[in-house]
Amino acid sequence: MSDLRAEAEALDARDELGGKRKEFVLDDTVYLDGNSLGALPAHVPERVADVITRQWGSLRIRSWDESGWWTAPERIGDRIAPLVGAGPGRIVVGDSTSVNVFKALVAAVRIARGGTDGPDATVGGRDEIVVDATTFPTDGYIAQSAARLTGCRLLPAAPADVPGVLGERTAAVLLNHADYRTGRLHDLPGLTAAVHAAGALAVWDLCHTAGALPVGLDEHGVDLAVGCTYKYLNGGPGSPAYLYVREGLQDRFDSPLPGWNSHAEPFGMRPDFEAAQGAPRGRVGTPDILSMLALEASLDVWDGVGVAEVRAKSLALTDFFLRCVEAYVPQGRVESLTPVAHAERGSQVALRCPGAGDVMRRLVERGVVGDYRAPDVLRFGFTPLYVSFADAERAARVLADTLD
């Protein structure tokens, strides 16, 4: 047995989160794609079966009250809140990440302008939206649409360059907490403070950090945030996203997508809209109950788990994997894009490799599942709740064999 394999066994034996692995449906595959789709928690199928057969099948319409369907968006939001450093009543679950980005960004511009909107609304001269130039494409598309709707000019900027483009005309800034290609972690506290110093609002996309590391939304004064639940939160394919609105902004949150579910009297069926109080303002239409309650069940795996210990294991796993890659892979075959500094690292390792798509296909055939991003980036996501150090060592060893 190699020294690194023996070290992996020793690290797994001391792993305080090691017992969580048995709460997921896993096999002999090394699954390092939880940054795209988290593994299935083992108890979820039974819970979903109950939703279908008893709640829907037997109780039917009564389940909106008796099974708590109606309050699910806020109830589940309160369960996600501690994982992103938010207090109760600040998060609502529903819709997709893209829809929530649109709601958050347009609402941020409206708040920055004092509640006015439209192409001629330049209150205080705030007619610019700054967007992360390295963002996931959909966020960029949504930002373009939000800019057209609000009459703003769109300014793409790399996160490190954002402070230099902020000014009196900035209304809102949309940033990713971690780069989806490289896993680079951006400075949420520092950039949020810079945005506020310019009199603008900060909107953060947490898709690649929630459930992998501390976020501190309340602590750092983030205005609005969105995120998906099917990556590190393991909510299942297409599980509903969430929207965070800082408590002090909730009475000014003016959604561009008002719906009957966000009405102060949703069953009053009044023709005029009056926004609900608090987190329900972020709702739109009827909640997607099946996937929402699957997500609620999935969140049970977080019982008794602290985000700080998840972060500690994430850093230990990625450090160990990088050591194994350095030891096993012939020099010059891959280039790590993952920041060395822990403060700049998310929970994935990105390796630049010629022919990355074909390399990943062969890795999958050999039982190591990650993914790649064109043209040449191999991505390996490390979900601390179920990825072991033995997984990390085996993945690096198989990568070396594949490249050889």
Side-chain angles (χ1 to χ4, degrees):
M1 181 185 298
S2 72
D3 291 343
L4 287 171
R5 291 178 73 179
E7 183 178 349
E9 288 189 2
L11 288 168
D12 283 330
R14 298 195 301 266
D15 179 14
E16 296 181 357
L17 292 176
K20 281 290 173 180
R21 185 178 173 91
K22 68 179 183 298
E23 297 183 25
F24 292 85
V25 177
L26 299 168
D27 50 28
D28 291 335
T29 299
V30 175
Y31 188 65
L32 301 181
D33 208 7
N35 52 331
S36 289
L37 176 64
L40 171 67
H43 67 283
V44 169
E46 182 180 356
R47 293 276 291 277
V48 172
D50 176 72
V51 174
I52 293 173
T53 58
R54 182 182 64 85
Q55 297 181 30
W56 181 13
S58 298
L59 293 177
R60 293 179 287 274
I61 196 73
R62 292 161 52 196
S63 278
W64 285 105
D65 293 321
E66 295 180 26
S67 299
W69 288 2
W70 184 258
T71 57
E74 295 80 50
R75 183 178 71 244
I76 302 171
D78 282 346
R79 293 195 65 181
I80 293 173
L83 304 179
V84 292
R90 294 166 174 82
I91 293 180
V92 65
V93 172
D95 305 312
S96 67
T97 304
S98 302
V99 172
N100 283 321
V101 168
F102 181 74
K103 288 187 286 188
L105 195 52
V106 173
V109 173
R110 290 176 174 177
I111 293 171
R113 290 174 168 176
T116 59
D117 199 8
D120 298 323
T122 55
V123 175
R126 299 203 177 271
D127 59 356
E128 294 179 349
I129 295 174
V130 178
V131 63
D132 183 345
T134 64
T135 189
F136 187 75
T138 294
D139 283 19
Y141 307 153
I142 295 294
Q144 292 172 23
S145 179
R148 291 195 303 270
L149 177 68
T150 58
C152 283
R153 183 166 70 106
L154 193 65
L155 297 178
D161 298 332
V162 164
V165 302
L166 299 173
E168 295 180 352
R169 300 181 65 174
T170 310
V173 181
L174 173 62
L175 295 165
N176 286 262
H177 196 192
D179 187 297
Y180 77 98
R181 298 178 189 86
T182 66
R184 177 177 291 277
L185 189 65
H186 299 307
D187 182 9
L188 181 146
L191 288 171
T192 299
V195 171
H196 289 169
L201 276 76
V203 182
W204 284 91
D205 183 329
L206 310 178
C207 285
H208 286 270
T209 54
L213 51 89
V215 178
L217 293 178
D218 286 351
E219 176 186 359
H220 301 303
V222 169
D223 299 303
L224 301 108
V226 302
C228 67
T229 59
Y230 48 78
K231 299 183 190 297
Y232 297 109
L233 296 181
N234 310 295
S239 55
Y242 57 89
L243 169 67
Y244 164 90
V245 182
R246 180 161 58 84
E247 186 176 32
L249 293 179
Q250 289 185 352
D251 62 345
R252 289 184 282 160
F253 179 80
D254 181 11
S255 174
L257 297 173
W260 76 288
N261 264 233
S262 57
H263 199 288
E265 295 182 51
F267 292 97
M269 303 303 169
R270 291 168 21 203
D272 56 316
F273 182 76
E274 178 185 350
Q277 295 299 308
R281 284 191 176 210
R283 296 174 63 153
V284 183
T286 305
D288 40 354
I289 291 299
L290 296 183
S291 59
M292 189 168 289
L293 297 189
L295 165 63
E296 183 174 34
S298 298
L299 292 171
D300 288 351
V301 299
W302 288 93
D303 291 346
V305 176
V307 180
E309 57 185 316
V310 168
R311 175 59 166 166
K313 182 178 177 183
S314 165
L315 292 172
L317 278 168
T318 50
D319 277 343
F320 183 66
F321 178 69
L322 286 167
R323 282 177 52 210
C324 292
V325 169
E326 184 177 6
Y328 293 156
V329 176
Q331 188 173 7
R333 298 303 301 272
V334 298
E335 174 194 356
S336 175
L337 303 179
T338 299
V340 174
H342 285 178
E344 299 175 359
R345 186 190 307 171
S347 199
Q348 77 175 43
V349 171
L351 302 176
R352 177 168 286 143
C353 173
D358 185 57
V359 171
M360 183 55 67
R361 178 186 59 78
R362 288 185 282 142
L363 285 174
V364 172
E365 291 172 352
R366 300 182 64 177
V368 175
V369 178
D371 68 7
Y372 84 100
R373 287 292 178 264
D376 59 0
V377 176
L378 299 171
R379 298 196 320 165
F380 300 95
F382 290 83
T383 305
L385 293 186
Y386 57 76
V387 173
S388 68
F389 290 90
D391 288 336
E393 188 276 337
R394 179 181 160 195
R397 182 160 32 90
V398 173
L399 173 62
D401 291 343
T402 300
L403 292 175
D404 189 43

